Amino acid sequence: MQPNKLYLNGEWIATDQSLEIINPATEETIGRVCTIDRDGVKTALNHARDAFEGWRSLPAKTRADYLLSIASKMNDRGEEIAKTIIQENGKPLAESRTEVAVAVDHFRWFAEECRRSYGRWIPNQVAGKRHLVIKSPVGVVGAISPWNFPLFLSARKIAPALAAGCPVIHKPSELTPLCAIAMAQAIDDADIPKGVFQLILGDAKMIGEEMLENPICRKITFTGSTAVGKSLIRGAAADVKKLSLELGGQAPLIVFDDADLNRAVEGALAAKFRNAGQSCIAANRFYVQRGIYDRFVEAFVARVRAMKVGDGLEAGVEIGPMVRERGLQSALAQVQDAIDRGAKLMCGGKRLARKGFFLEPTVLANVAVDSLCMREETFAPVAPIVQFTEESEAIRMANDSWAGLSAYCFTSNLDRAFRVMERLEAGTIGINDGVPSTSIAPFGGLKQSGWGRELGSEGLDAFLETKHVSFGMSE
Ligand code: ADP
């Protein structure tokens, strides 16, 4: 099997090292991708530095046109890319197609925002002075992305950085680099100037260290675990390297007595089981009010039992495998821990007796709030449900977490919706909405869920520096 090449300084380059890619539904090797060493990372950074001046100097409209071209090349190959996502990540076809569509939309959104990186003119305070605020690209960007949404989590870093005028070096997850290669192909097909975008793969820690220590790299944008995010923060201290971090989540989902039951069940299914629960905004802690508790649990469990689990390529599959054995084992341990503490297993809870990392979608009722699954990030199709009585109790439990990425609330009471949204400690809140994230609105976390925002207009700002220019002049 010939390893796939990396994209460096406008060329596809082979190296003598590679790593293998596994299909989580079959545990078979589906490909290999080349890797580089630390000197290779340094060389990529040098190329990016050399490309910076030319790229930032282009009119914003020209950069926008490149982004639109990338979007259309990705769209043209959408079906092929969706199949790649299924094969290396495991998610079902419908979700993979959505992922491509969202990634394409990210490029389109930032092509539009590219033309709006406005500064401002400040009315003068004293005679003989004028003040201007201008925006400049931050410089060379290192983008490190994870495996769970391998295409769009990369796109929401690469597109705004390019739009802002920054060269980008992308380091995808070693579990899902084939999607990144597909995106790099679209970028190459759009004839982007050499060195403006590069794709590397190799030892993650080494690459992170080079990006942190090399002064050419001005910013690292990272999505991944809170543990690695913290290590990047420590490493960034030496040179005060700029970081954007989208880290773990442990989203609460609150269902009030006054909720529309059907909406709450459908919203909860979407918020919980997308990508087999392996999403940083997945609903991981369900709080359901006493008056609706039995009806919600019954309707929710009925829908979960009916979900078809299998290889994402099979027709009608709604839940694919988890990405690897480690995640599956930690989910099984969380389920056992909850049962040991008195939870009732309503459905699922077992590994499927077949090849691949399949876990049955699982619902646990009457879960103790100190169970592992209520405290640690659950990156799995496991829904633990807790009963509550008062609104204030639900808000307190929802906020009682190290994480603050997203939260969900189902209610038909407008006053309550406002009270709850104002108090929930989360960067993204879905009110009667299980799929709140979109290109057009900012996304990021409070507390240990990260620093900064992606998407929206904030997503472009993350790659721009703000400068104040003061003019002395004669009136
Ligand atoms: P997960 O455990 O879900 O795979 P990680 O945080 O380990 O999440 O991975 C997210 C991304 O961060 C991946 O691209 C991975 O290769 C990368 N990564 C892992 N360790 C480091 C590190 N020490 N420095 C920089 N990047 C890292």
Side-chain angles (χ1 to χ4, degrees):
M1 205 179 276
Q2 277 292 73
N4 287 273
K5 296 173 180 173
L6 300 176
Y7 186 63
L8 295 159
N9 204 29
E11 288 178 42
W12 291 95
I13 304 285
T15 65
D16 52 9
Q17 304 277 316
S18 64
L19 54 81
E20 66 174 9
I21 318 302
I22 307 285
N23 180 339
T26 61
E27 301 182 44
E28 283 164 5
T29 302
I30 50 165
R32 301 194 70 86
V33 179
C34 292
T35 57
I36 53 174
D37 59 15
R38 193 147 183 160
D39 283 340
V41 185
K42 285 189 209 294
T43 307
L45 284 163
N46 289 339
H47 292 316
R49 176 199 54 207
D50 296 345
F52 181 38
E53 191 51 41
W55 184 244
R56 72 176 293 178
S57 305
L58 289 176
K61 166 85 166 63
T62 309
R63 287 200 303 273
D65 287 342
Y66 276 113
L67 264 66
L68 289 174
S69 172
I70 295 166
S72 107
K73 309 275 181 204
M74 272 171 53
N75 199 41
D76 291 348
R77 296 202 194 160
E79 240 0 64
E80 178 195 326
I81 301 176
K83 299 255 159 66
T84 304
I85 296 175
I86 299 172
Q87 284 188 322
E88 61 179 4
N89 165 284
K91 68 183 69 177
L93 181 59
E95 286 187 33
S96 298
R97 284 182 174 145
T98 304
E99 175 150 3
V100 177
V102 171
V104 167
D105 193 57
H106 288 349
F107 273 93
R108 291 195 179 130
W109 168 255
F110 284 110
E112 294 158 6
E113 284 298 290
C114 183
R115 301 167 71 181
R116 293 192 269 273
S117 58
Y118 306 130
R120 67 185 194 273
W121 177 260
I122 303 174
N124 52 327
Q125 167 113 327
V126 291
K129 286 250 200 182
R130 295 291 185 274
H131 297 277
L132 204 59
V133 177
I134 63 169
K135 303 270 181 148
S136 298
V138 72
V140 171
V141 168
I144 302 175
S145 58
W147 50 266
N148 56 338
F149 294 90
L151 204 68
F152 72 53
L153 291 181
S154 306
R156 68 181 57 173
K157 298 172 168 17
I158 295 164
L162 295 178
C166 303
V168 181
I169 298 181
H170 180 208
K171 206 298 283 174
S173 165
E174 35 291 316
L175 299 180
T176 53
L178 299 176
C179 296
I181 288 172
M183 189 181 297
Q185 268 157 358
I187 296 174
D188 186 31
D189 289 349
D191 286 330
I192 199 148
K194 67 175 186 166
V196 167
F197 172 81
Q198 299 177 91
L199 172 68
I200 63 171
L201 201 64
D203 180 75
K205 188 159 181 289
M206 172 278 287
I207 292 173
E209 280 169 4
E210 184 59 29
M211 286 176 172
L212 285 167
E213 289 167 22
N214 192 320
I216 292 173
C217 179
R218 291 298 176 87
K219 168 146 196 170
I220 299 175
T221 170
F222 170 83
T223 297
S225 60
T226 303
V228 173
K230 287 179 181 176
S231 80
L232 291 174
I233 290 172
R234 282 191 288 272
D239 294 333
V240 195
K241 184 89 41 167
K242 294 202 160 34
L243 296 176
S244 285
L245 303 170
E246 198 260 274
L247 308 177
Q250 181 67 345
L253 183 146
I254 307 172
V255 181
F256 287 100
D257 284 348
D258 54 37
D260 175 314
L261 180 63
N262 187 43
R263 222 170 177 180
V265 169
E266 295 306 316
L269 282 170
K272 175 69 254 181
F273 293 110
R274 205 159 54 116
N275 198 26
Q278 302 167 111
S279 161
C280 26
I281 62 166
N284 285 343
R285 298 176 288 140
F286 286 45
Y287 301 104
V288 182
Q289 204 166 13
R290 196 167 57 185
I292 198 171
Y293 186 87
D294 289 340
R295 282 179 295 140
F296 176 84
V297 172
E298 189 188 342
F300 184 66
V301 169
R303 287 285 277 112
V304 175
R305 276 188 205 280
M307 290 181 105
K308 185 171 175 197
V309 185
D311 188 325
L313 286 168
E314 289 164 25
V317 162
E318 292 161 284
I319 299 201
M322 297 183 62
V323 81
R324 60 187 158 192
E325 181 72 31
R326 193 189 342 143
L328 176 56
Q329 290 306 331
S330 101
L332 287 168
Q334 283 195 356
V335 171
Q336 192 54 51
D337 168 79
I339 293 170
D340 291 347
R341 292 173 200 257
K344 183 162 180 220
L345 181 65
M346 305 301 291
C347 63
K350 287 197 304 297
R351 181 179 197 157
L352 291 197
R354 60 180 276 181
K355 273 254 175 218
F357 312 121
F358 293 95
L359 176 63
E360 291 173 345
T362 302
V363 182
L364 295 158
N366 301 330
V367 175
V369 291
D370 60 350
S371 306
L372 286 180
C373 60
M374 300 300 285
R375 290 186 278 121
E376 294 175 358
E377 185 166 28
T378 305
F379 232 53
V382 177
I385 310 182
V386 170
Q387 192 179 117
F388 73 91
T389 309
E390 301 290 332
E391 180 182 305
S392 58
E393 185 194 357
I395 294 171
R396 184 182 50 71
M397 288 195 292
N399 287 339
D400 183 17
S401 171
W402 54 273
L405 193 59
S406 62
Y408 304 86
C409 165
F410 290 84
T411 176
S412 301
N413 178 327
L414 191 59
D415 292 354
R416 169 171 275 158
F418 272 90
R419 282 196 301 273
V420 173
M421 80 173 90
E422 285 168 3
R423 282 166 184 75
L424 280 177
E425 295 171 346
T428 295
I429 298 172
I431 303 281
N432 298 323
D433 184 3
V435 192
S437 190
T438 162
S439 302
I440 62 177
F443 176 72
L446 278 56
K447 300 195 269 188
Q448 293 188 36
S449 290
W451 286 352
R453 293 292 179 270
E454 299 189 294
L455 305 176
S457 50
E458 290 84 350
L460 182 63
D461 236 21
F463 299 99
L464 293 167
E465 295 283 15
T466 300
K467 297 186 203 164
H468 162 222
V469 188
S470 176
F471 290 78
M473 57 175 288
S474 48
E475 295 288 340

